[in-house]
Amino acid sequence: MSVKQISVFIENKQGRLIAVTNCLAARDVNILALSAADTADFGILRLIVDHPKRALAALKEDNFTALETEVIAALSEDRPGGLNVLLEALENAGVNVDYIYAFFGSGKTKPLNIIKVDKMEVAVAALAKAGIKMMDGEEVYNM
C-alpha cells in the first residue's frame, strides 16, 4: 500500500517554484500536498498530485530533474499525541522515518501523513497491526 510522490530538484532562486506550478497547471495536474526543503543553492519540492505519471512526464519535458518515490499515506488522530501512535508503531518495528509531512484532504477531519521510510513492507505491516488506516494511491489521488 503506497502512494507515488514526485520530487523535483530546483534552484533556490526567484521564479523556479512558480515554473514548477505553471508546468503542472498547464497539464491539468492538481497539487494535493507539498513539502519544500532548501539549502543555499537548491531545493527539493516533494509533491503529491492527482496524476503522478502525467506530472513526472510534464516536469521532465520542461527540463526539471524529477523522480518518483514510493511513500506511505497514513491517517492519524487530530489530537495531542495522535501522531505519536503512528510513530511508535514504526519505532517499535525498527523502521526509520526519512521524512514526514501532513495535510488535510478535502472534507477530511484527520491529518493524512505522507511518510518516507527505510523499510516499506515492515512499516506497512506495523501500521496495519497498530490499527492505523492507510490510503492507497487511488484513494489519495481522488481526494
Side-chain angles (χ1 to χ4, degrees):
M1 177 166 291
S2 66
V3 173
K4 308 272 187 213
Q5 171 191 268
I6 305 299
S7 297
V8 188
F9 301 90
I10 55 177
E11 292 174 279
N12 190 1
K13 67 179 190 178
Q14 184 176 349
R16 296 307 292 158
L17 180 58
I18 197 167
V20 171
T21 60
N22 281 338
C23 169
L24 297 176
R27 271 63 161 223
D28 198 30
V29 174
N30 188 28
I31 299 170
L32 303 171
L34 65 82
S35 171
D38 73 329
T39 66
D41 298 323
F42 71 94
I44 300 174
L45 183 62
R46 294 182 173 110
L47 304 164
I48 302 298
V49 298
D50 61 348
H51 298 287
K53 288 181 184 177
R54 186 185 317 159
L56 187 61
L59 290 162
K60 288 184 176 185
E61 183 179 309
D62 284 8
N63 297 312
F64 287 99
T65 300
L67 59 92
E68 187 179 84
T69 306
E70 298 284 327
V71 293
I72 296 170
L75 293 166
S76 62
E77 294 295 323
D78 185 18
R79 62 171 176 78
L83 182 59
N84 284 13
V85 174
L86 186 152
L87 295 175
E88 285 173 355
L90 297 174
E91 177 70 21
N92 292 338
V95 174
N96 182 55
V97 174
D98 295 330
Y99 56 81
I100 184 171
Y101 56 100
F103 73 101
F104 282 84
S106 177
K108 299 293 181 194
T109 59
K110 294 182 179 184
L112 183 61
N113 301 281
I114 303 300
I115 312 163
K116 172 72 170 72
V117 296
D118 64 344
K119 301 175 204 164
M120 180 69 77
E121 290 179 16
V122 174
V124 168
L127 293 172
K129 183 178 178 184
I132 294 167
K133 175 159 175 31
M134 291 168 280
M135 298 176 75
D136 67 21
E138 290 307 311
E139 289 176 290
V140 173
Y141 310 145
N142 291 309
M143 289 180 75

